[in-house]
Amino acid sequence: MPPPSRIPSASSVAYAAFVAAGRLTKPDLVVRSRAREAQLAARMNNFFSDIDVLLTPTIPQLPWPLLRFEGRSVIGATLAASDIVPFTTPWNLTGQPAASVPAGFSDDGIPLAVQVVGRPHDEATLLSLSAQLEAERPWADLRPPLAE
């Protein structure tokens, strides 16, 4: 979560931009989308009929430089960022439990992570697996060279 100083206040230009972007969404689109959530979640849940946990990258590429989208419009930044979230978005939409677990560093010292996704209401399995991964690859005391 960004520090409080980076969260738009209700009187900020960024907040106003989010509100304006929200107003572009037609109410009937929201209603239709929400009506399909259960169907989408059911399709995603079928994936877990034969497995307990899905392991994916958290993001499909190295993180971008800080402030990459500074000064862009809300819609422009959202669209530009869409290619970095394909592995996290489906689970956020359908509500399956998921965790991002540190997984070492790139050759350049950039932190990497994997995502573990579980069956609905099975957070216990994900927490247990996350703890096992951390025990095998301890990370809490590691820092990338940029942070030292």
Side-chain angles (χ1 to χ4, degrees):
M1 178 159 199
S5 62
R6 298 285 294 167
I7 298 174
S9 70
S11 62
S12 74
V13 173
Y15 184 83
F18 277 110
V19 170
R23 287 187 177 135
L24 295 174
T25 304
K26 304 284 186 211
D28 63 316
L29 175 62
V30 174
V31 169
R32 287 194 324 263
S33 298
R34 296 299 307 263
R36 295 189 64 198
E37 283 179 5
Q39 178 186 10
L40 178 60
R43 285 181 58 204
M44 299 299 277
N45 288 337
N46 284 337
F47 192 79
F48 293 96
S49 61
D50 297 323
I51 65 168
D52 295 321
V53 175
L54 173 66
L55 178 72
T56 72
T58 299
I59 59 175
Q61 57 195 345
L62 291 177
W64 295 320
L66 188 63
L67 304 176
R68 177 176 176 162
F69 301 117
E70 189 76 10
R72 286 196 185 185
S73 71
V74 171
I75 293 173
T78 300
L79 291 174
S82 64
D83 64 344
I84 204 166
V85 295
F87 295 110
T88 56
T89 300
W91 316 112
N92 287 332
L93 290 174
T94 59
Q96 269 85 357
S100 180
V101 181
F105 295 90
S106 72
D107 292 340
D108 294 331
I110 305 295
L112 303 172
V114 295
Q115 175 182 233
V116 290
V117 183
R119 293 179 169 146
H121 313 292
D122 191 15
E123 287 84 355
T125 297
L126 293 186
L127 291 172
S128 175
L129 177 58
S130 296
Q132 291 172 47
L133 291 170
E134 181 178 352
E136 290 298 318
R137 295 194 55 125
W139 56 267
D141 295 328
L142 301 176
R143 301 287 182 270
L146 302 173
E148 293 177 356

